Amino acid sequence: MRDLKYCLLTACLLASVAVMADEGMWMLGNLDKKTTHMLKEMGFELKPKELYSPRKASLKDAVVSFGGFCSGVVVSEDGLVLTNHHCGFSSVQQHSSVDHDYLQDGFVARTRDEELPNPELYVRFLLRQENVTKRVLSAVRPDMDESARASAVDSVMLAVGAEVSQKDSTLTGVVDAYYGGNEFWLSVYQDFNDVRLVFAPPSSVGKFGWDKDNWMWPRHTGDFCVFRIYAGRGNRPADYSPDNVPYHPRYVAPISLEGYQEGDFCMTLGYPGSTERYLSSFGIEEAMNGINQAQIDIRGVKQAIWKRAMDASDDIRIKYASKYDESSNYWKNSIGTNRSLRRLNVLERKRTLERDLQDWIRRTPAERDSLLHLLTDLELAYKDRRAVNRAQAYLLESFLNGPELVQLALSILNFDFGADPKVVEVSLQGIVDKYANLDLDVDKDVFTALLKEYPRHVEVDYLPSLYDSIATVYGGSERAYVDSLYARTAIATPRGLKRFLENDTTLHLFSDPAINLGIDLITQLFEMNMQMNAANLAVDRGERLFNAAVRRYYADRRFYPDANSTMRLSFGTVRGYDPADGTHYRYFTTVRGILEKAREHRSEPDFALQPELVSLLESGDYGRYADRSGEMKVCFISDNDITGGNSGSAMFNARGQLLGLAFDGNWEAMSSDYLYEPRLQRCIGVDIRYVLFIIEKYGQAGRLIEELKIG
């Protein structure tokens, strides 16, 4: 029954809705015949070995993990990589200044010598995948408790991965857990660390609409950025060097200018970060009330302070642009996720599935003997850690992910002089960048506000000891405490870092108040983890057994594993949707919508356009990038299954030609990490023709267009 398959894959019971063929995040190394047949039935024209092959060049060789947090696609024989503007935003920000404001004005490298290096960036190519479940689980004995089991599994996973780099130092082996820790697969990667910025559109294109339009459809954002991969001798990975040359990839993604129509096949390849489709209702409820709500409450306060300061100063705007962008993205995501989980009744539907599973366990002797109390025990485990888990979420957001002075203290405390020289260099650069993008007055305002906000959400038992000092030493004034802290610490400025790195004997690091604060917070975090230790182990065990039981319950069904930052395939069709009664959204937007939004929001800088961009868009001179109707399409939507990390994923047509870049999901289906809702969930992509139009016509970078393989 297709209804039952949909229940499982979306972690819900929806007897009235048939499963859609486009649901799923499928592993390329584990595509079964049913899935490949479904691909063909939906119109995909490539053979399976042309999509994935561990030995010969295939489409997967054009897709990369970009920096470990986004996806990208290789589009030229000289290593050009397309990803999203918001994925490259931090790199653009690092190269920007008031005099060279690449965030606002965009960036174009007119020659390869002008392409800008980014030491913190890398791209990762998947070479092959291998099922190593039997080997990993061979270390597990029946008498092991969950802690011992986890240790045994982890040790084998690390050993299997390490064998790859021992055979070839340019390769990285990573073993990941799937299906709640019931299966294990080895992925073999090759990383390239010399990645240079080539082209970035102005924010009026790449961030058009900013927070207001984020996660929304209709969308008019040209969310793309161009980088180039460089290699050393023999086309092999190498650290940055001016002597490196453009990398020549195994496979280059061809580009289509034909566009798409509603109902056309559409496929994404990328590295989705994390989903929880098989999580119990208890786990979903914990996430809603814990980390999601903490991000909503705390980041909202922090971002409001940042935004006021950014609007008042170009220098602060550039310093805080990337931090604000990242923070606000997850803040709005948490708001939308909790809203959708409630509106779509996800908890109630999940509980229905769990009641059915419990009935099956009672009726099945082999299951009843070992799993009769599975769901009851799982519920109790979550209940046992509820208060501490919520307090920990607020502690992390308020302090360890809040004031940047605390983050600096933690970075210095964790600095390892004995690490690999490359790691030391990267860690040091990370600390230096924090100082470069820090404004002490802004950080004081944030710290003061968060000190006031944290106690509003947690029980008094979970207040850090600094609150005692505020009450007894500073007369209850959070601001007085903050001012004193920043005045007394040596690490508020780069001079303190310099003394630390030079082993200055006059710097008594563990007497520094900011360092002591960092230690106190880490200690409290550790104590919280210890309080939850037994419950955590019970939750891990219960979720693993729950996942396995559901798969046995639907033994004749196909299962895709939750996303875990490994390469995944998703396929579906280009199509619009109905977000509400009487409302229909079509499947594409055009430049006309950009101009309309700019006029409607003319007083808002987030929708402002440069005069030359307005002239270009109004001219109608779109050349070969115009749709067959003569329009310039900007964005489009499909029902592909995506999540965070898919940003920058290649969107291909049935012939494996590039149609665009995925960059967002839609507001009505923000619960998609827990539930795939076929009526509502859409993947938002930027049309490749708009990307090329901006590069060639606005950026005047025809040399880049000449590199591409355009069909």
Side-chain angles (χ1 to χ4, degrees), residues 478-492:
E478 292 87 357
R479 185 65 195 212
Y481 167 81
V482 169
D483 286 340
S484 174
L485 175 66
Y486 281 67
R488 291 183 295 120
T489 181
I491 68 166

Side-chain angles (χ1 to χ4, degrees), residues 252-266:
V252 174
I255 294 173
S256 171
L257 298 184
E258 295 180 8
Y260 39 80
Q261 298 295 317
E262 189 154 28
D264 282 356
F265 176 88
C266 184

Side-chain angles (χ1 to χ4, degrees), residues 23 37-38 46 162 191 238 311 387 492 504 567 588 629:
E23 178 184 356
H37 177 73
M38 191 175 294
L46 299 186
D191 296 349
D311 289 345
D504 186 340
M567 184 184 285
F588 66 91
S629 64

Side-chain angles (χ1 to χ4, degrees), residues 85 101-107 200-208 210 317 594-595 598 602 604-618 690 694 698:
H85 184 265
D101 193 347
Y102 300 138
L103 290 175
Q104 179 171 293
D105 303 328
F107 170 79
S203 290
S204 58
V205 173
K207 292 290 291 181
F208 184 74
W210 290 78
R317 173 179 57 81
I594 298 175
L595 299 170
R602 59 171 50 91
E604 301 177 41
D606 292 352
F607 292 89
L609 303 175
Q610 288 90 339
E612 58 270 26
L613 180 59
V614 173
S615 297
L616 179 62
L617 298 181
E618 288 181 336
Y690 183 61
I694 292 295
Y698 185 80

Side-chain angles (χ1 to χ4, degrees), residues 293-310:
Q293 196 59 48
Q295 288 188 348
I296 293 168
D297 294 332
I298 303 302
R299 294 193 183 196
V301 172
K302 177 174 66 176
Q303 289 162 196
I305 295 169
W306 283 355
K307 191 67 166 63
R308 285 196 299 270
M310 291 166 68

Side-chain angles (χ1 to χ4, degrees), residues 447-693:
F447 204 163
T448 303
L450 296 187
L451 283 169
K452 295 178 180 179
E453 187 69 19
Y454 178 77
R456 297 172 183 165
H457 303 284
V458 301
E459 299 172 12
V460 68
D461 293 344
Y462 302 113
L463 294 182
S465 59
L466 64 89
Y467 282 94
D468 293 334
S469 296
I470 292 173
T472 58
V473 180
Y474 298 96
S477 171
E478 292 87 357
R479 185 65 195 212
Y481 167 81
V482 169
D483 286 340
S484 174
L485 175 66
Y486 281 67
R488 291 183 295 120
T489 181
I491 68 166
T493 66
R495 182 174 177 272
L497 174 65
K498 185 172 184 292
R499 293 171 64 194
F500 165 69
L501 296 174
E502 293 175 348
N503 292 317
D504 186 340
T505 57
T506 65
L507 176 64
H508 302 291
L509 189 64
F510 293 101
S511 298
D512 188 279
I515 295 294
N516 279 329
L517 174 60
I519 293 172
D520 288 345
L521 292 170
I522 288 295
T523 300
Q524 180 158 354
L525 187 67
F526 174 78
E527 290 173 350
M528 286 178 165
N529 283 331
M530 292 305 296
Q531 291 176 47
M532 294 188 291
N533 185 55
N536 289 343
L537 292 173
V539 165
D540 291 345
R541 178 179 184 274
E543 290 288 359
R544 174 171 56 81
L545 296 176
F546 173 71
N547 188 301
V550 172
R551 293 174 69 198
R552 291 195 299 275
Y553 184 27
Y554 300 110
D556 59 338
R557 311 302 171 186
R558 293 181 305 123
F559 297 87
Y560 62 87
D562 270 317
N564 60 356
S565 296
T566 55
M567 184 184 285
R568 300 300 178 90
L569 158 72
S570 170
F571 56 94
T573 57
V574 175
R575 60 172 174 151
Y577 68 105
D578 300 327
D581 182 46
T583 302
H584 177 72
Y585 286 157
R586 63 182 183 176
Y587 62 96
F588 66 91
T589 59
T590 69
V591 297
R592 183 163 58 91
I594 298 175
L595 299 170
E596 290 172 350
K597 283 184 176 178
R599 287 192 294 268
E600 180 183 354
H601 302 280
R602 59 171 50 91
S603 63
E604 301 177 41
D606 292 352
F607 292 89
L609 303 175
Q610 288 90 339
E612 58 270 26
L613 180 59
V614 173
S615 297
L616 179 62
L617 298 181
E618 288 181 336
S619 71
D621 182 17
Y622 310 132
R624 59 176 174 165
Y625 305 122
D627 195 58
R628 65 191 68 175
S629 64
E631 294 180 305
M632 169 55 69
K633 290 183 176 177
V634 176
C635 298
F636 67 106
I637 51 175
S638 69
D639 52 20
N640 294 117
D641 196 352
I642 69 160
T643 187
N646 269 127
S647 292
S649 292
M651 301 179 74
F652 293 110
N653 64 16
R655 297 187 296 279
Q657 297 172 315
L658 193 63
L659 293 176
L661 303 172
F663 70 90
D664 217 345
N666 59 318
W667 187 248
E668 296 83 7
M670 294 295 289
S671 56
S672 61
D673 282 358
Y674 305 95
L675 160 73
Y676 177 87
E677 173 52 74
R679 295 182 304 105
L680 295 175
Q681 184 166 332
R682 296 295 179 268
C683 166
I684 302 175
V686 56
D687 193 309
I688 192 62
R689 294 169 296 181
Y690 183 61
V691 170
L692 302 185
F693 171 75

